[in-house]
PDB file of all heavy atoms in Angstrom:
ATOM      1  N   VAL A  80      79.900  94.681 110.541  1.00 96.00           N
ATOM      2  CA  VAL A  80      81.191  95.058 111.171  1.00 96.00           C
ATOM      3  C   VAL A  80      82.175  93.974 110.997  1.00 96.00           C
ATOM      4  O   VAL A  80      81.879  92.800 111.232  1.00 96.00           O
ATOM      5  CB  VAL A  80      80.953  95.447 112.641  1.00 96.00           C
ATOM      6  CG1 VAL A  80      82.269  95.892 113.225  1.00 96.00           C
ATOM      7  CG2 VAL A  80      79.925  96.546 112.791  1.00 96.00           C
ATOM      8  N   HIS A  81      83.391  94.352 110.672  1.00 96.00           N
ATOM      9  CA  HIS A  81      84.473  93.423 110.404  1.00 96.00           C
ATOM     10  C   HIS A  81      85.542  93.533 111.504  1.00 96.00           C
ATOM     11  O   HIS A  81      86.054  94.612 111.759  1.00 96.00           O
ATOM     12  CB  HIS A  81      85.080  93.808 109.024  1.00 96.00           C
ATOM     13  CG  HIS A  81      86.297  93.023 108.604  1.00 96.00           C
ATOM     14  ND1 HIS A  81      87.063  93.405 107.518  1.00 96.00           N
ATOM     15  CD2 HIS A  81      86.897  91.910 109.098  1.00 96.00           C
ATOM     16  CE1 HIS A  81      88.045  92.557 107.352  1.00 96.00           C
ATOM     17  NE2 HIS A  81      87.995  91.650 108.350  1.00 96.00           N
ATOM     18  N   VAL A  82      85.851  92.414 112.187  1.00 95.00           N
ATOM     19  CA  VAL A  82      86.929  92.375 113.140  1.00 95.00           C
ATOM     20  C   VAL A  82      88.153  91.749 112.409  1.00 95.00           C
ATOM     21  O   VAL A  82      88.162  90.582 112.132  1.00 95.00           O
ATOM     22  CB  VAL A  82      86.620  91.534 114.367  1.00 95.00           C
ATOM     23  CG1 VAL A  82      87.801  91.483 115.345  1.00 95.00           C
ATOM     24  CG2 VAL A  82      85.394  92.117 115.079  1.00 95.00           C
ATOM     25  N   PRO A  83      89.148  92.559 112.042  1.00 90.00           N
ATOM     26  CA  PRO A  83      90.210  92.045 111.160  1.00 90.00           C
ATOM     27  C   PRO A  83      91.191  91.135 111.900  1.00 90.00           C
ATOM     28  O   PRO A  83      91.284  91.138 113.143  1.00 90.00           O
ATOM     29  CB  PRO A  83      90.918  93.345 110.721  1.00 90.00           C
ATOM     30  CG  PRO A  83      90.664  94.311 111.845  1.00 90.00           C
ATOM     31  CD  PRO A  83      89.308  93.987 112.362  1.00 90.00           C
ATOM     32  N   GLU A  84      91.936  90.407 111.119  1.00 87.00           N
ATOM     33  CA  GLU A  84      93.012  89.570 111.679  1.00 87.00           C
ATOM     34  C   GLU A  84      94.043  90.513 112.354  1.00 87.00           C
ATOM     35  O   GLU A  84      94.339  91.581 111.838  1.00 87.00           O
ATOM     36  CB  GLU A  84      93.681  88.823 110.535  1.00 87.00           C
ATOM     37  CG  GLU A  84      94.865  87.937 110.938  1.00 87.00           C
ATOM     38  CD  GLU A  84      95.516  87.275 109.741  1.00 87.00           C
ATOM     39  OE1 GLU A  84      94.839  87.072 108.724  1.00 87.00           O
ATOM     40  OE2 GLU A  84      96.704  87.001 109.833  1.00 87.00           O
ATOM     41  N   GLY A  85      94.487  90.141 113.537  1.00 80.00           N
ATOM     42  CA  GLY A  85      95.470  90.929 114.250  1.00 80.00           C
ATOM     43  C   GLY A  85      94.889  91.976 115.150  1.00 80.00           C
ATOM     44  O   GLY A  85      95.595  92.774 115.733  1.00 80.00           O
ATOM     45  N   ARG A  86      93.565  91.976 115.331  1.00 78.00           N
ATOM     46  CA  ARG A  86      92.839  92.824 116.272  1.00 78.00           C
ATOM     47  C   ARG A  86      92.823  94.307 115.937  1.00 78.00           C
ATOM     48  O   ARG A  86      91.817  94.943 115.893  1.00 78.00           O
ATOM     49  CB  ARG A  86      93.365  92.640 117.721  1.00 78.00           C
ATOM     50  CG  ARG A  86      92.825  91.477 118.455  1.00 78.00           C
ATOM     51  CD  ARG A  86      93.485  90.199 118.116  1.00 78.00           C
ATOM     52  NE  ARG A  86      94.792  90.061 118.787  1.00 78.00           N
ATOM     53  CZ  ARG A  86      95.533  88.958 118.703  1.00 78.00           C
ATOM     54  NH1 ARG A  86      95.093  87.894 118.046  1.00 78.00           N
ATOM     55  NH2 ARG A  86      96.711  88.858 119.316  1.00 78.00           N
ATOM     56  N   ARG A  87      94.019  94.918 115.757  1.00 86.00           N
ATOM     57  CA  ARG A  87      94.121  96.341 115.367  1.00 86.00           C
ATOM     58  C   ARG A  87      93.368  97.277 116.355  1.00 86.00           C
ATOM     59  O   ARG A  87      92.542  98.093 115.937  1.00 86.00           O
ATOM     60  CB  ARG A  87      93.634  96.554 113.952  1.00 86.00           C
ATOM     61  CG  ARG A  87      94.450  95.720 112.952  1.00 86.00           C
ATOM     62  CD  ARG A  87      94.107  96.028 111.494  1.00 86.00           C
ATOM     63  NE  ARG A  87      94.726  95.059 110.606  1.00 86.00           N
ATOM     64  CZ  ARG A  87      94.564  95.091 109.318  1.00 86.00           C
ATOM     65  NH1 ARG A  87      93.808  95.985 108.732  1.00 86.00           N
ATOM     66  NH2 ARG A  87      95.157  94.186 108.535  1.00 86.00           N
ATOM     67  N   LEU A  88      93.705  97.137 117.592  1.00 93.00           N
ATOM     68  CA  LEU A  88      93.103  98.019 118.600  1.00 93.00           C
ATOM     69  C   LEU A  88      93.822  99.353 118.616  1.00 93.00           C
ATOM     70  O   LEU A  88      94.891  99.525 118.005  1.00 93.00           O
ATOM     71  CB  LEU A  88      93.279  97.369 120.007  1.00 93.00           C
ATOM     72  CG  LEU A  88      92.586  96.024 120.188  1.00 93.00           C
ATOM     73  CD1 LEU A  88      92.871  95.513 121.605  1.00 93.00           C
ATOM     74  CD2 LEU A  88      91.072  96.145 119.957  1.00 93.00           C
ATOM     75  N   PHE A  89      93.269 100.324 119.362  1.00 93.00           N
ATOM     76  CA  PHE A  89      93.938 101.587 119.657  1.00 93.00           C
ATOM     77  C   PHE A  89      94.798 101.259 120.886  1.00 93.00           C
ATOM     78  O   PHE A  89      94.333 101.330 122.027  1.00 93.00           O
ATOM     79  CB  PHE A  89      92.944 102.698 119.926  1.00 93.00           C
ATOM     80  CG  PHE A  89      92.047 102.968 118.790  1.00 93.00           C
ATOM     81  CD1 PHE A  89      90.691 102.693 118.817  1.00 93.00           C
ATOM     82  CD2 PHE A  89      92.557 103.532 117.609  1.00 93.00           C
ATOM     83  CE1 PHE A  89      89.870 102.971 117.749  1.00 93.00           C
ATOM     84  CE2 PHE A  89      91.746 103.819 116.496  1.00 93.00           C
ATOM     85  CZ  PHE A  89      90.364 103.537 116.604  1.00 93.00           C
ATOM     86  N   VAL A  90      96.047 100.892 120.664  1.00 93.00           N
ATOM     87  CA  VAL A  90      96.861 100.291 121.713  1.00 93.00           C
ATOM     88  C   VAL A  90      97.218 101.274 122.832  1.00 93.00           C
ATOM     89  O   VAL A  90      97.534 100.872 123.946  1.00 93.00           O
ATOM     90  CB  VAL A  90      98.151  99.654 121.135  1.00 93.00           C
ATOM     91  CG1 VAL A  90      97.828  98.467 120.264  1.00 93.00           C
ATOM     92  CG2 VAL A  90      98.970 100.704 120.400  1.00 93.00           C
ATOM     93  N   ALA A  91      97.147 102.565 122.575  1.00 96.00           N
ATOM     94  CA  ALA A  91      97.472 103.584 123.570  1.00 96.00           C
ATOM     95  C   ALA A  91      96.260 103.942 124.423  1.00 96.00           C
ATOM     96  O   ALA A  91      96.356 104.653 125.424  1.00 96.00           O
ATOM     97  CB  ALA A  91      98.046 104.822 122.918  1.00 96.00           C
ATOM     98  N   LEU A  92      95.062 103.428 124.031  1.00 96.00           N
ATOM     99  CA  LEU A  92      93.851 103.688 124.774  1.00 96.00           C
ATOM    100  C   LEU A  92      93.502 102.547 125.732  1.00 96.00           C
ATOM    101  O   LEU A  92      93.992 101.395 125.516  1.00 96.00           O
ATOM    102  CB  LEU A  92      92.648 103.947 123.819  1.00 96.00           C
ATOM    103  CG  LEU A  92      92.794 105.053 122.810  1.00 96.00           C
ATOM    104  CD1 LEU A  92      91.495 105.183 122.018  1.00 96.00           C
ATOM    105  CD2 LEU A  92      93.111 106.377 123.496  1.00 96.00           C
ATOM    106  N   THR A  93      92.737 102.817 126.734  1.00 97.00           N
ATOM    107  CA  THR A  93      92.303 101.756 127.623  1.00 97.00           C
ATOM    108  C   THR A  93      91.259 100.872 126.990  1.00 97.00           C
ATOM    109  O   THR A  93      90.743 101.181 125.950  1.00 97.00           O
ATOM    110  CB  THR A  93      91.702 102.360 128.945  1.00 97.00           C
ATOM    111  OG1 THR A  93      90.490 103.014 128.609  1.00 97.00           O
ATOM    112  CG2 THR A  93      92.686 103.356 129.615  1.00 97.00           C
ATOM    113  N   VAL A  94      90.969  99.754 127.683  1.00 97.00           N
ATOM    114  CA  VAL A  94      89.915  98.868 127.247  1.00 97.00           C
ATOM    115  C   VAL A  94      88.613  99.638 127.075  1.00 97.00           C
ATOM    116  O   VAL A  94      87.935  99.560 126.034  1.00 97.00           O
ATOM    117  CB  VAL A  94      89.719  97.687 128.276  1.00 97.00           C
ATOM    118  CG1 VAL A  94      88.428  96.953 127.919  1.00 97.00           C
ATOM    119  CG2 VAL A  94      90.927  96.783 128.234  1.00 97.00           C
ATOM    120  N   ASP A  95      88.265 100.396 128.088  1.00 95.00           N
ATOM    121  CA  ASP A  95      86.996 101.146 128.044  1.00 95.00           C
ATOM    122  C   ASP A  95      86.963 102.191 126.921  1.00 95.00           C
ATOM    123  O   ASP A  95      85.958 102.349 126.229  1.00 95.00           O
ATOM    124  CB  ASP A  95      86.719 101.805 129.396  1.00 95.00           C
ATOM    125  CG  ASP A  95      85.260 102.064 129.611  1.00 95.00           C
ATOM    126  OD1 ASP A  95      84.474 101.088 129.669  1.00 95.00           O
ATOM    127  OD2 ASP A  95      84.866 103.261 129.758  1.00 95.00           O
ATOM    128  N   GLU A  96      88.084 102.854 126.722  1.00 96.00           N
ATOM    129  CA  GLU A  96      88.154 103.856 125.659  1.00 96.00           C
ATOM    130  C   GLU A  96      88.060 103.216 124.297  1.00 96.00           C
ATOM    131  O   GLU A  96      87.486 103.787 123.364  1.00 96.00           O
ATOM    132  CB  GLU A  96      89.470 104.633 125.751  1.00 96.00           C
ATOM    133  CG  GLU A  96      89.488 105.586 126.963  1.00 96.00           C
ATOM    134  CD  GLU A  96      90.856 106.155 127.288  1.00 96.00           C
ATOM    135  OE1 GLU A  96      91.864 105.543 126.842  1.00 96.00           O
ATOM    136  OE2 GLU A  96      90.939 107.161 127.983  1.00 96.00           O
ATOM    137  N   ASN A  97      88.605 101.987 124.105  1.00 94.00           N
ATOM    138  CA  ASN A  97      88.420 101.281 122.870  1.00 94.00           C
ATOM    139  C   ASN A  97      86.935 100.964 122.630  1.00 94.00           C
ATOM    140  O   ASN A  97      86.436 101.085 121.493  1.00 94.00           O
ATOM    141  CB  ASN A  97      89.240  99.986 122.854  1.00 94.00           C
ATOM    142  CG  ASN A  97      90.604 100.162 122.304  1.00 94.00           C
ATOM    143  OD1 ASN A  97      90.829 100.066 121.080  1.00 94.00           O
ATOM    144  ND2 ASN A  97      91.578 100.400 123.160  1.00 94.00           N
ATOM    145  N   LEU A  98      86.202 100.573 123.681  1.00 95.00           N
ATOM    146  CA  LEU A  98      84.796 100.315 123.514  1.00 95.00           C
ATOM    147  C   LEU A  98      84.027 101.580 123.178  1.00 95.00           C
ATOM    148  O   LEU A  98      83.133 101.556 122.293  1.00 95.00           O
ATOM    149  CB  LEU A  98      84.219  99.690 124.807  1.00 95.00           C
ATOM    150  CG  LEU A  98      84.794  98.312 125.229  1.00 95.00           C
ATOM    151  CD1 LEU A  98      84.034  97.762 126.416  1.00 95.00           C
ATOM    152  CD2 LEU A  98      84.761  97.299 124.062  1.00 95.00           C
ATOM    153  N   VAL A  99      84.350 102.650 123.806  1.00 94.00           N
ATOM    154  CA  VAL A  99      83.719 103.919 123.513  1.00 94.00           C
ATOM    155  C   VAL A  99      83.933 104.317 122.056  1.00 94.00           C
ATOM    156  O   VAL A  99      83.037 104.797 121.369  1.00 94.00           O
ATOM    157  CB  VAL A  99      84.200 105.075 124.457  1.00 94.00           C
ATOM    158  CG1 VAL A  99      83.715 106.417 123.999  1.00 94.00           C
ATOM    159  CG2 VAL A  99      83.761 104.798 125.889  1.00 94.00           C
ATOM    160  N   ALA A 100      85.153 104.090 121.554  1.00 92.00           N
ATOM    161  CA  ALA A 100      85.439 104.389 120.153  1.00 92.00           C
ATOM    162  C   ALA A 100      84.582 103.605 119.209  1.00 92.00           C
ATOM    163  O   ALA A 100      84.157 104.092 118.159  1.00 92.00           O
ATOM    164  CB  ALA A 100      86.921 104.120 119.844  1.00 92.00           C
ATOM    165  N   GLY A 101      84.222 102.369 119.597  1.00 91.00           N
ATOM    166  CA  GLY A 101      83.350 101.544 118.755  1.00 91.00           C
ATOM    167  C   GLY A 101      81.914 102.002 118.802  1.00 91.00           C
ATOM    168  O   GLY A 101      81.118 101.595 117.965  1.00 91.00           O
ATOM    169  N   ALA A 102      81.559 102.834 119.771  1.00 90.00           N
ATOM    170  CA  ALA A 102      80.161 103.239 119.976  1.00 90.00           C
ATOM    171  C   ALA A 102      79.900 104.631 119.406  1.00 90.00           C
ATOM    172  O   ALA A 102      78.936 105.293 119.831  1.00 90.00           O
ATOM    173  CB  ALA A 102      79.818 103.226 121.474  1.00 90.00           C
ATOM    174  N   HIS A 103      80.743 105.047 118.461  1.00 82.00           N
ATOM    175  CA  HIS A 103      80.594 106.438 117.948  1.00 82.00           C
ATOM    176  C   HIS A 103      79.265 106.689 117.263  1.00 82.00           C
ATOM    177  O   HIS A 103      78.881 107.872 117.113  1.00 82.00           O
ATOM    178  CB  HIS A 103      81.758 106.777 117.004  1.00 82.00           C
ATOM    179  CG  HIS A 103      81.750 105.982 115.760  1.00 82.00           C
ATOM    180  ND1 HIS A 103      82.216 104.686 115.705  1.00 82.00           N
ATOM    181  CD2 HIS A 103      81.387 106.319 114.480  1.00 82.00           C
ATOM    182  CE1 HIS A 103      82.111 104.261 114.425  1.00 82.00           C
ATOM    183  NE2 HIS A 103      81.603 105.205 113.672  1.00 82.00           N
ATOM    184  N   LEU A 104      78.556 105.646 116.861  1.00 78.00           N
ATOM    185  CA  LEU A 104      77.247 105.821 116.225  1.00 78.00           C
ATOM    186  C   LEU A 104      76.102 105.766 117.221  1.00 78.00           C
ATOM    187  O   LEU A 104      74.953 105.927 116.835  1.00 78.00           O
ATOM    188  CB  LEU A 104      77.014 104.735 115.150  1.00 78.00           C
ATOM    189  CG  LEU A 104      78.022 104.729 113.979  1.00 78.00           C
ATOM    190  CD1 LEU A 104      77.752 103.557 113.043  1.00 78.00           C
ATOM    191  CD2 LEU A 104      77.934 106.059 113.172  1.00 78.00           C
ATOM    192  N   GLN A 105      76.398 105.520 118.519  1.00 86.00           N
ATOM    193  CA  GLN A 105      75.400 105.367 119.529  1.00 86.00           C
ATOM    194  C   GLN A 105      75.200 106.601 120.351  1.00 86.00           C
ATOM    195  O   GLN A 105      76.149 107.403 120.510  1.00 86.00           O
ATOM    196  CB  GLN A 105      75.727 104.189 120.438  1.00 86.00           C
ATOM    197  CG  GLN A 105      76.045 102.891 119.698  1.00 86.00           C
ATOM    198  CD  GLN A 105      74.875 102.402 118.902  1.00 86.00           C
ATOM    199  OE1 GLN A 105      73.722 102.528 119.311  1.00 86.00           O
ATOM    200  NE2 GLN A 105      75.159 101.845 117.736  1.00 86.00           N
ATOM    201  N   ASP A 106      74.012 106.773 120.936  1.00 87.00           N
ATOM    202  CA  ASP A 106      73.798 107.829 121.922  1.00 87.00           C
ATOM    203  C   ASP A 106      74.292 107.302 123.294  1.00 87.00           C
ATOM    204  O   ASP A 106      74.759 106.194 123.431  1.00 87.00           O
ATOM    205  CB  ASP A 106      72.346 108.250 121.982  1.00 87.00           C
ATOM    206  CG  ASP A 106      71.386 107.090 122.309  1.00 87.00           C
ATOM    207  OD1 ASP A 106      71.856 106.071 122.849  1.00 87.00           O
ATOM    208  OD2 ASP A 106      70.176 107.230 122.015  1.00 87.00           O
ATOM    209  N   ARG A 107      74.170 108.151 124.320  1.00 89.00           N
ATOM    210  CA  ARG A 107      74.695 107.808 125.637  1.00 89.00           C
ATOM    211  C   ARG A 107      74.084 106.503 126.199  1.00 89.00           C
ATOM    212  O   ARG A 107      74.752 105.650 126.746  1.00 89.00           O
ATOM    213  CB  ARG A 107      74.485 108.944 126.642  1.00 89.00           C
ATOM    214  CG  ARG A 107      75.031 108.657 128.039  1.00 89.00           C
ATOM    215  CD  ARG A 107      74.942 109.886 128.932  1.00 89.00           C
ATOM    216  NE  ARG A 107      75.793 110.916 128.458  1.00 89.00           N
ATOM    217  CZ  ARG A 107      77.115 111.013 128.734  1.00 89.00           C
ATOM    218  NH1 ARG A 107      77.676 110.083 129.475  1.00 89.00           N
ATOM    219  NH2 ARG A 107      77.832 112.012 128.290  1.00 89.00           N
ATOM    220  N   ARG A 108      72.776 106.368 125.967  1.00 90.00           N
ATOM    221  CA  ARG A 108      72.054 105.196 126.442  1.00 90.00           C
ATOM    222  C   ARG A 108      72.536 103.945 125.721  1.00 90.00           C
ATOM    223  O   ARG A 108      72.811 102.914 126.335  1.00 90.00           O
ATOM    224  CB  ARG A 108      70.553 105.336 126.258  1.00 90.00           C
ATOM    225  CG  ARG A 108      69.733 104.188 126.819  1.00 90.00           C
ATOM    226  CD  ARG A 108      68.248 104.591 126.839  1.00 90.00           C
ATOM    227  NE  ARG A 108      67.410 103.486 127.324  1.00 90.00           N
ATOM    228  CZ  ARG A 108      66.821 102.606 126.569  1.00 90.00           C
ATOM    229  NH1 ARG A 108      66.945 102.661 125.238  1.00 90.00           N
ATOM    230  NH2 ARG A 108      66.082 101.621 127.086  1.00 90.00           N
ATOM    231  N   GLY A 109      72.752 104.065 124.386  1.00 89.00           N
ATOM    232  CA  GLY A 109      73.272 102.953 123.632  1.00 89.00           C
ATOM    233  C   GLY A 109      74.677 102.573 124.025  1.00 89.00           C
ATOM    234  O   GLY A 109      75.053 101.386 124.058  1.00 89.00           O
ATOM    235  N   LEU A 110      75.481 103.597 124.389  1.00 92.00           N
ATOM    236  CA  LEU A 110      76.870 103.386 124.861  1.00 92.00           C
ATOM    237  C   LEU A 110      76.868 102.568 126.146  1.00 92.00           C
ATOM    238  O   LEU A 110      77.580 101.553 126.273  1.00 92.00           O
ATOM    239  CB  LEU A 110      77.560 104.692 125.059  1.00 92.00           C
ATOM    240  CG  LEU A 110      78.907 104.650 125.820  1.00 92.00           C
ATOM    241  CD1 LEU A 110      79.928 103.816 125.080  1.00 92.00           C
ATOM    242  CD2 LEU A 110      79.406 106.066 126.046  1.00 92.00           C
ATOM    243  N   GLU A 111      76.028 102.956 127.097  1.00 93.00           N
ATOM    244  CA  GLU A 111      75.952 102.237 128.361  1.00 93.00           C
ATOM    245  C   GLU A 111      75.443 100.812 128.207  1.00 93.00           C
ATOM    246  O   GLU A 111      75.941  99.886 128.846  1.00 93.00           O
ATOM    247  CB  GLU A 111      75.113 103.000 129.347  1.00 93.00           C
ATOM    248  CG  GLU A 111      75.688 104.352 129.748  1.00 93.00           C
ATOM    249  CD  GLU A 111      77.084 104.213 130.342  1.00 93.00           C
ATOM    250  OE1 GLU A 111      77.386 103.234 131.026  1.00 93.00           O
ATOM    251  OE2 GLU A 111      77.958 105.082 130.088  1.00 93.00           O
ATOM    252  N   GLN A 112      74.447 100.638 127.362  1.00 93.00           N
ATOM    253  CA  GLN A 112      73.913  99.293 127.113  1.00 93.00           C
ATOM    254  C   GLN A 112      74.963  98.404 126.469  1.00 93.00           C
ATOM    255  O   GLN A 112      75.125  97.245 126.878  1.00 93.00           O
ATOM    256  CB  GLN A 112      72.667  99.376 126.222  1.00 93.00           C
ATOM    257  CG  GLN A 112      71.444  99.913 126.877  1.00 93.00           C
ATOM    258  CD  GLN A 112      70.289 100.045 125.948  1.00 93.00           C
ATOM    259  OE1 GLN A 112      70.490 100.122 124.705  1.00 93.00           O
ATOM    260  NE2 GLN A 112      69.059 100.079 126.469  1.00 93.00           N
ATOM    261  N   GLY A 113      75.655  98.945 125.486  1.00 93.00           N
ATOM    262  CA  GLY A 113      76.690  98.175 124.816  1.00 93.00           C
ATOM    263  C   GLY A 113      77.843  97.808 125.773  1.00 93.00           C
ATOM    264  O   GLY A 113      78.326  96.669 125.773  1.00 93.00           O
ATOM    265  N   ARG A 114      78.296  98.755 126.554  1.00 92.00           N
ATOM    266  CA  ARG A 114      79.347  98.488 127.503  1.00 92.00           C
ATOM    267  C   ARG A 114      78.928  97.392 128.507  1.00 92.00           C
ATOM    268  O   ARG A 114      79.716  96.476 128.764  1.00 92.00           O
ATOM    269  CB  ARG A 114      79.658  99.805 128.252  1.00 92.00           C
ATOM    270  CG  ARG A 114      80.835  99.756 129.163  1.00 92.00           C
ATOM    271  CD  ARG A 114      80.897 101.047 129.979  1.00 92.00           C
ATOM    272  NE  ARG A 114      81.688 102.070 129.383  1.00 92.00           N
ATOM    273  CZ  ARG A 114      81.410 103.365 129.360  1.00 92.00           C
ATOM    274  NH1 ARG A 114      80.261 103.774 129.893  1.00 92.00           N
ATOM    275  NH2 ARG A 114      82.240 104.239 128.853  1.00 92.00           N
ATOM    276  N   GLU A 115      77.734  97.460 129.001  1.00 94.00           N
ATOM    277  CA  GLU A 115      77.216  96.446 129.966  1.00 94.00           C
ATOM    278  C   GLU A 115      77.189  95.077 129.306  1.00 94.00           C
ATOM    279  O   GLU A 115      77.564  94.081 129.890  1.00 94.00           O
ATOM    280  CB  GLU A 115      75.868  96.847 130.471  1.00 94.00           C
ATOM    281  CG  GLU A 115      75.248  95.850 131.464  1.00 94.00           C
ATOM    282  CD  GLU A 115      73.872  96.270 131.914  1.00 94.00           C
ATOM    283  OE1 GLU A 115      73.412  97.401 131.521  1.00 94.00           O
ATOM    284  OE2 GLU A 115      73.236  95.492 132.633  1.00 94.00           O
ATOM    285  N   TYR A 116      76.760  95.050 128.029  1.00 94.00           N
ATOM    286  CA  TYR A 116      76.666  93.767 127.339  1.00 94.00           C
ATOM    287  C   TYR A 116      78.021  93.163 127.133  1.00 94.00           C
ATOM    288  O   TYR A 116      78.234  91.967 127.364  1.00 94.00           O
ATOM    289  CB  TYR A 116      75.966  93.971 126.017  1.00 94.00           C
ATOM    290  CG  TYR A 116      75.799  92.651 125.257  1.00 94.00           C
ATOM    291  CD1 TYR A 116      74.749  91.778 125.593  1.00 94.00           C
ATOM    292  CD2 TYR A 116      76.673  92.273 124.246  1.00 94.00           C
ATOM    293  CE1 TYR A 116      74.609  90.574 124.957  1.00 94.00           C
ATOM    294  CE2 TYR A 116      76.518  91.069 123.601  1.00 94.00           C
ATOM    295  CZ  TYR A 116      75.486  90.233 123.949  1.00 94.00           C
ATOM    296  OH  TYR A 116      75.333  89.015 123.354  1.00 94.00           O
ATOM    297  N   VAL A 117      79.020  93.954 126.680  1.00 95.00           N
ATOM    298  CA  VAL A 117      80.355  93.440 126.409  1.00 95.00           C
ATOM    299  C   VAL A 117      81.022  92.933 127.676  1.00 95.00           C
ATOM    300  O   VAL A 117      81.636  91.842 127.665  1.00 95.00           O
ATOM    301  CB  VAL A 117      81.219  94.549 125.759  1.00 95.00           C
ATOM    302  CG1 VAL A 117      82.696  94.084 125.651  1.00 95.00           C
ATOM    303  CG2 VAL A 117      80.702  94.832 124.331  1.00 95.00           C
TER     304      VAL A 117
END
């Protein structure tokens, strides 16, 4: 996974919604684990 220069977030989404967008390959359990870790 590449974090590009300039961040390039979904600026209209919340912090939590941006994290959820990054978890599109995870199931619900993976989403919750990832969120807790971040």
Side-chain angles (χ1 to χ4, degrees):
V80 182
H81 175 191
V82 179
E84 180 183 332
R86 277 82 77 176
R87 301 187 189 178
L88 299 179
F89 299 112
V90 294
L92 301 183
T93 67
V94 168
D95 204 61
E96 288 167 342
N97 269 275
L98 296 186
V99 170
H103 66 282
L104 297 176
Q105 306 300 322
D106 58 20
R107 181 174 293 277
R108 184 167 179 267
L110 168 62
E111 293 304 323
Q112 288 177 337
R114 186 189 268 142
E115 180 181 355
Y116 183 80
V117 171

